[in-house]
């Protein structure tokens, strides 16, 4: 009995319809612009070589190379979704090496960007914020933007030890400015953790005995940049003020890690709020201790301007 391979070859040679469809495919593959370009770049590929490696050329031809054949990454038509072939010719051998397609590359970059900005109870819109979109018609806002930008520029050399305490009325764009900063810092691979304080306080209250709280607090302590959004808007218990907020700030002060704050209150007003944490008591000393830490990790600046929420 003949070996199966040679029997198959003989069948292919003698089978007319198979031969004609093979010729069709060959014609199509050789006519494709990608394949033509490849063959022009590699004149060493003889007709015989082309014939022998037709299946490789076919694969190269049918795969999308710059997402041109796919409606989206989910609908990628390639054998390995999200990967495109690069043809390499060595010693007349064609090899296809697969790499991430442009859409996949973009998705990876986006995921990495997202992973650098973590947040607790923050609106999604912080991810869309950018310095370019900050409204500068208001000169007062320019100053705050300049300070925030300076932090970004300095971060290109070394992460500054101090963040900013942005205070001003509701809706002037304090949170937005810091969202823009976090997006820019992510380009430098610097991670930011955003905490919306009122929700965080509520969450801690509801789960004091929950073991994940300590883990979370640890992450806030160690993030490269920490943003405490809307501080002062909530009622802090003395325990939260001293053991949670105090501990986070103490750690960051010692490690020289910057903290940003946004608040509707200036530093004096915040101090008063912090002193009133205990029911009916006025603990100036404890409040002063927190304020001292806030001053160590940030620099105050007022954000003025129009209420953006009304625009
Ligand atoms: P604040 O934190 O001072 O209360 P926000 O940052 O939440 O104010 O801004 C209020 C609203 O205005 C938000 O919906 C925000 O997305 C929008 N906003 C603020 N600044 C800008 C800006 N420069 N460009 C576009 N939208 C902005
Ligand atoms: Mg805000």
């Amino acid at each position: 009995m003949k070996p199966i391979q040679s029997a198959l070859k003989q069948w292919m040679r003698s089978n007319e319809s198979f031969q004609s469809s093979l010729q069709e495919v060959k014609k199509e593959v050789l006519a494709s612009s990608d394949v033509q370009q490849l063959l022009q770049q590699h004149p060493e590929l003889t007709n015989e070589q082309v014939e022998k490696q037709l299946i490789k050329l076919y694969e190269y031809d049918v795969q999308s190379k710059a997402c041109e054949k796919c409606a989206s990454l989910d609908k990628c038509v390639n054998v390995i979704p999200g990967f495109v072939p690069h043809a390499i010719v060595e010693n007349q051998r064609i090899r296809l090496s697969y790499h991430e397609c442009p859409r996949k590359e973009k998705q990876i970059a986006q995921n990495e960007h997202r992973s650098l900005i973590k947040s607790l109870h923050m609106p999604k819109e912080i991810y869309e914020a950018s310095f370019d979109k900050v409204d500068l018609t208001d000169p007062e806002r320019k100053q705050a933007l300049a300070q925030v930008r300076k932090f970004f520029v300095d971060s290109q050399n070394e992460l500054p030890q101090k963040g900013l305490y942005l205070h001003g009325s509701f809706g002037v764009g304090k949170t937005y400015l810091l969202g823009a900063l976090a997006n820019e810092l992510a380009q430098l691979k610097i991670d930011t953790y955003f905490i919306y304080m009122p929700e965080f306080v509520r969450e801690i209250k509801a789960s004091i005995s929950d073991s994940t709280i300590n883990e979370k607090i640890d992450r806030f302590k160690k993030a490269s940049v920490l943003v405490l959004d809307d501080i002062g808007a909530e009622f802090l218990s003395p325990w939260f003020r001293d053991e949670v907020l105090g501990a986070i700030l103490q750690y960051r002060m010692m490690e020289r890690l910057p903290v940003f704050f946004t608040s509707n209150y200036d530093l004096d007003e915040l101090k008063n709020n912090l002193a009133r944490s205990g029911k009916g008591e006025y603990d100036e000393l404890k409040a002063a201790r927190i304020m001292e830490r806030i001053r160590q990790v940030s620099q105050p600046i007022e954000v003025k301007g129009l209420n953006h929420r009304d625009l």
Side-chain angles (χ1 to χ4, degrees), residues 25-26 28-30 32 34-39 42 45-63 65 69 85 87-89 93-96:
V25 171
K26 184 177 167 186
E28 241 173 66
V29 168
L30 294 182
S32 100
D34 285 337
V35 171
Q36 273 189 7
Q37 201 183 358
L38 181 72
L39 295 179
H42 296 281
L45 288 171
T46 59
N47 257 344
E48 194 194 344
Q49 287 297 340
V50 168
E51 195 93 35
K52 261 194 197 163
Q53 302 181 80
L54 199 58
I55 197 90
K56 271 274 142 65
L57 291 172
Y58 174 77
E59 181 180 336
Y60 185 57
D61 175 31
V62 294
Q63 300 294 286
K65 309 204 180 47
K69 294 177 183 158
I88 299 161
V89 180
R93 287 237 157 269
I94 304 168
R95 189 161 61 79
L96 297 184

Side-chain angles (χ1 to χ4, degrees), residues 125 133-135 169-177 308-309:
E125 65 182 18
K133 286 194 239 157
V134 176
D135 177 10
S169 333
F170 180 73
V172 290
K174 303 180 293 295
T175 302
Y176 188 90
L177 264 179
H308 262 264
R309 292 175 211 237

Side-chain angles (χ1 to χ4, degrees), residues 39-285:
L39 295 179
Q40 267 165 22
Q41 283 165 357
H42 296 281
E44 73 272 24
L45 288 171
T46 59
N47 257 344
E48 194 194 344
Q49 287 297 340
V50 168
E51 195 93 35
K52 261 194 197 163
Q53 302 181 80
L54 199 58
I55 197 90
K56 271 274 142 65
L57 291 172
Y58 174 77
E59 181 180 336
Y60 185 57
D61 175 31
V62 294
Q63 300 294 286
S64 183
K65 309 204 180 47
C67 308
E68 74 282 4
K69 294 177 183 158
C70 324
S72 66
L73 189 53
D74 287 343
K75 295 194 176 114
C76 180
V77 299
N78 286 1
V79 237
I80 318 170
F83 286 78
V84 289
H86 289 232
I88 299 161
V89 180
E90 278 164 351
N91 300 327
Q92 295 187 297
R93 287 237 157 269
I94 304 168
R95 189 161 61 79
L96 297 184
S97 133
Y98 278 82
H99 300 270
E100 283 96 355
C101 70
R103 283 203 186 109
K104 181 90 180 168
E105 275 177 355
K106 203 168 156 200
Q107 188 196 49
I108 292 170
Q110 261 172 3
N111 287 348
E112 192 188 356
H113 185 95
R114 287 276 169 127
S115 74
L116 285 164
I117 307 175
K118 301 221 165 52
S119 71
L120 192 73
H121 308 299
M122 291 297 298
K124 294 269 172 294
E125 65 182 18
I126 56 166
Y127 291 103
E128 314 297 331
S130 79
F131 283 158
D132 295 343
K133 286 194 239 157
V134 176
D135 177 10
L136 287 177
T137 45
D138 201 325
E140 305 276 13
R141 187 168 297 140
K142 247 185 204 160
Q143 223 185 1
L145 175 66
Q147 291 283 335
V148 174
R149 252 188 204 281
K150 184 177 182 313
F151 183 93
F152 169 69
V153 172
D154 292 348
S155 301
Q156 291 170 352
N157 292 322
E158 196 185 359
L159 192 67
Q161 294 175 19
K162 277 192 176 193
L164 294 166
Y165 181 94
L166 301 178
H167 60 99
S169 333
F170 180 73
V172 290
K174 303 180 293 295
T175 302
Y176 188 90
L177 264 179
L178 297 184
L181 174 66
N183 284 313
E184 303 286 343
L185 289 175
Q187 306 289 341
L188 305 177
K189 313 262 179 258
I190 296 174
D191 61 297
T192 301
Y193 218 124
F194 263 90
I195 308 176
Y196 181 57
M197 283 299 279
E199 277 299 325
F200 178 49
V201 173
R202 235 164 281 155
E203 181 176 319
I204 292 259
K205 250 192 220 158
S207 52
I208 286 182
S209 55
D210 184 341
S211 61
T212 63
I213 290 292
N214 279 338
E215 256 170 59
K216 262 188 198 148
I217 291 178
D218 231 40
R219 272 184 267 147
F220 306 150
K221 282 182 179 171
K222 292 175 181 164
S224 302
V225 175
L226 179 68
V227 178
L228 299 181
D229 192 45
D230 246 341
I231 191 167
E234 66 297 310
F235 173 81
L236 299 184
S237 68
W239 173 78
F240 186 95
R241 178 193 62 199
D242 304 328
E243 304 302 324
V244 181
L245 180 60
I248 292 173
L249 295 179
Q250 170 75 14
Y251 181 91
R252 298 190 66 91
M253 189 178 94
M254 303 299 286
E255 297 296 318
R256 297 167 195 268
L257 290 168
V259 184
F260 283 81
F261 302 86
T262 78
S263 185
N264 293 336
Y265 303 100
D266 65 20
L267 288 177
D268 285 339
E269 290 165 332
L270 182 72
K271 186 183 168 194
N272 266 332
N273 285 4
L274 290 175
R276 278 200 203 90
S277 283
K279 287 187 186 101
E281 298 162 32
Y282 191 86
D283 200 334
E284 194 159 357
L285 195 68

